[in-house]
Amino acid sequence: MPLTAQYWIDHLYLQPHPEGGYYKEVFRSTNGVIRVGEQIEKQACTSIYYLLEGKDFSGFHRLASDELWYFHKGAPLHIHVIDNDGAHSVIELSDSATGQLQAVIPPNTWFASEIPSGSGFALVSCAVAPGFDFAEFEMAKQDKLIAQWPQHKDLLERLCRE
């Protein structure tokens, strides 16, 4: 039996994610940390399985924490990153010669992901430290990012959900 996207969605009990794709939280640390300059304790780390398939994409978003991505199975995945100076870079997450098995997205950095071939699926894990909190998750507003970085208009029109 070939291991398809649906197999992994069912096998790992993945649910639709608001940014696109499917996910399941698999770890939430009971340890706490406090960011430098803040007073509120956060959970030290969280981890999810995350799956994209076909032409679906993870829309541009940003988090207040570092996010580490780990490749597991499937097609190469491109992570598009726009840094605070507006520079665009692409990280290929894959087990191919052109890819890497893990990537780090710094806090408060806009990023999105897609399968460049538009077919198959990519199964990854994402760890967030300090731990993921929807209150610190921001989906990009296409018009605001295009106004800020008009040189990336085509990319932002393609990979923003709002």
Side-chain angles (χ1 to χ4, degrees), residues 109-123:
T109 301
W110 292 107
F111 65 103
S113 61
E114 66 177 339
I115 298 171
S117 68
S119 63
F121 71 92
L123 175 63

Side-chain angles (χ1 to χ4, degrees), residues 29-35 40-45 130:
S29 178
T30 57
N31 293 319
V33 296
I34 298 174
R35 285 190 188 110
I40 299 170
E41 185 176 279
K42 304 283 184 185
Q43 289 169 310
C45 180

